[in-house]
Amino acid sequence: MIEVKNLTKHYGAIRAIDNLTFSVGSDTTGNIIGFLGPNGAGKSTTIRILSCFQPADSGMATVAGYNVFTQSLDVRRNIGYLPESAPLYTEMRVREYLHFRGKLHGMSRRDRDNAVRSVTERCWLGDFVDRPIGQLSKGMRQRVGLADALLHDPKVIFLDEPTIGLDPMQIRETRKLIRELGDRHIVFLSSHILHEVEQICTHAIVIASGRILASGAPAELRERISAGSRLIAEIKGSPDAVVAAVKSLSGVGAVESDTQDEWTRLSIEANGAGDIREEVFKLASEKGWSLREMRREVASLEDFFIKITAEQRTGRG
Ligand SMILES: Nc1ncnc2c1ncn2[C@@H]1O[C@H](COP(=O)(O)OP(=O)(O)OP(=O)(O)O)[C@@H](O)[C@H]1O
Ligand SMILES: [Mg+2]
């Protein structure tokens, strides 16, 4: 549904996106795609290009089967776009604004009536349709922007940081709404919140400094870092003996320790993806040491993100 090949865009000397290639919105990626990266990564630039709001320097992109450079009218008919800050007309009332937008899409009066009713319901705007947009909270305005993006029932919806600036309750509601959108649309959303992408997306593309660093299902990405996952264990015994014995186990990498009140708290790095819990348990029972905690600290996408962006910065990625 969204195909991007060698897409590159400069602003003067700044290379905002650098040779991006990806293909999403198929059965393999699922319907909710997260475009994840820190500030300045190139997320908005990519979304603006894919929504035909800005040209690229080189490369190719198709959305819903249409070329974004040569068939922009067809692309626009098939997409909805929620920009970073929705350019709403603050003096208009919600219903009036959505009708106005519907007219721009060339919808008939009757289609507009139906569409406005449907999107205001889906975006929980029912009680606000007669309020001037300028009087709405940021969260409510964001919903108006979303309703606008959904108005013509597009196949693909681009959401640029849809939860930024919202309070926790509004964030929760917006995420719920996005999950629901995935039933009927392909949703391509940008975010710098890893937890958010982990929560709502079926596929994630990690981007930093205009380059793709990784892509896959959030769970797959987590799997890829499971080699870096840690085991936390607390063992009572002579601290030096405990640390030395744990270090000597096969499958154990670096070990950090901290002793308090006879208990040594170990943070054990696994060498490879194997589970070392059983070995640690056996060791403790053989030596007659008490063991009071043992849990695996599964690395989050956040850890992965920090790791790969750091690697990229130091030129090792
Ligand atoms: N209109 C512009 N003129 C010049 N440089 C720009 C322009 N828009 C973006 N850039 C630069 O291009 C790079 C990518 O910016 P972009 O806005 O696409 O990143 P982003 O991932 O959306 O960041 P953010 O998380 O801050 O929204 C940045 O270095 C940015 O400073
Ligand atoms: Mg942006």
Side-chain angles (χ1 to χ4, degrees), residues 46-296:
T46 307
I47 288 181
R48 283 196 300 264
I49 293 170
L50 296 179
S51 315
C52 306
F53 276 84
Q54 161 176 316
D57 298 337
S58 57
M60 219 275 293
T62 63
V63 174
Y66 297 104
N67 185 313
V68 301
F69 305 119
T70 59
Q71 299 173 296
S72 62
L73 287 179
D74 294 307
V75 171
R76 280 173 195 238
R77 258 193 303 113
N78 284 286
I79 64 161
Y81 169 46
L82 176 71
E84 256 175 324
S85 48
L88 302 171
Y89 294 78
T90 50
E91 72 286 359
M92 277 192 188
R93 291 170 200 277
V94 173
R95 193 200 313 266
E96 191 188 353
Y97 172 73
L98 292 173
H99 268 276
F100 159 71
R101 298 287 296 171
K103 270 187 209 163
L104 294 183
H105 284 298
M107 294 162 78
S108 69
R109 170 82 211 192
R110 180 195 237 168
D111 285 350
R112 273 185 276 137
D113 278 341
N114 290 335
V116 170
R117 196 175 316 116
S118 158
V119 295
T120 50
E121 250 171 46
R122 288 173 78 191
C123 298
W124 307 304
L125 279 165
D127 297 339
F128 300 88
V129 285
D130 293 316
R131 292 269 289 273
I133 291 169
Q135 286 180 15
L136 300 178
S137 70
K138 176 155 172 69
M140 295 305 302
R141 279 190 216 191
Q142 193 75 344
R143 282 194 212 162
V144 177
L146 258 178
D148 179 11
L150 297 176
L151 199 59
H152 54 302
D153 201 25
K155 289 199 183 114
V156 181
I157 300 165
F158 291 102
L159 307 174
D160 199 353
E161 307 240 18
T163 60
I164 205 163
L166 304 186
D167 72 31
M169 190 63 110
Q170 291 170 335
I171 288 176
R172 216 162 75 185
E173 288 176 353
T174 305
R175 287 181 186 162
K176 181 164 173 271
L177 177 62
I178 293 171
R179 262 189 237 110
E180 289 171 12
L181 292 180
D183 294 339
R184 276 169 59 175
H185 311 268
I186 305 288
V187 182
F188 188 93
L189 67 94
S190 74
S191 177
H192 61 275
I193 309 162
L194 309 141
H195 169 67
E196 172 164 284
V197 169
E198 252 180 325
Q199 257 193 353
I200 59 181
C201 295
T202 52
H203 185 89
I205 298 172
V206 183
I207 176 174
S209 308
R211 292 190 179 189
I212 293 177
L213 300 183
S215 79
E220 271 169 33
L221 293 182
R222 215 180 303 126
E223 189 82 352
R224 283 178 51 184
I225 29 166
S226 70
S229 78
R230 294 172 163 275
L231 181 69
I232 307 294
E234 284 190 31
I235 295 176
K236 191 152 110 181
S238 152
D240 291 344
V242 168
V243 173
V246 169
K247 272 191 178 158
S248 70
L249 293 174
S250 69
V252 166
V255 177
E256 284 167 30
S257 66
D258 177 36
T259 304
Q260 260 177 30
D261 303 330
E262 299 178 71
W263 287 93
T264 298
R265 186 183 172 79
L266 301 147
S267 169
I268 306 162
E269 219 168 82
N271 262 341
D275 191 343
I276 52 172
R277 281 178 293 188
E278 197 177 339
E279 279 191 82
V280 173
F281 180 80
K282 275 191 190 150
L283 174 74
S285 68
E286 273 167 28
K287 302 271 186 183
W289 293 330
S290 304
L291 178 70
R292 76 171 176 190
E293 186 186 2
M294 188 150 69
R295 74 186 152 81
R296 241 170 136 188

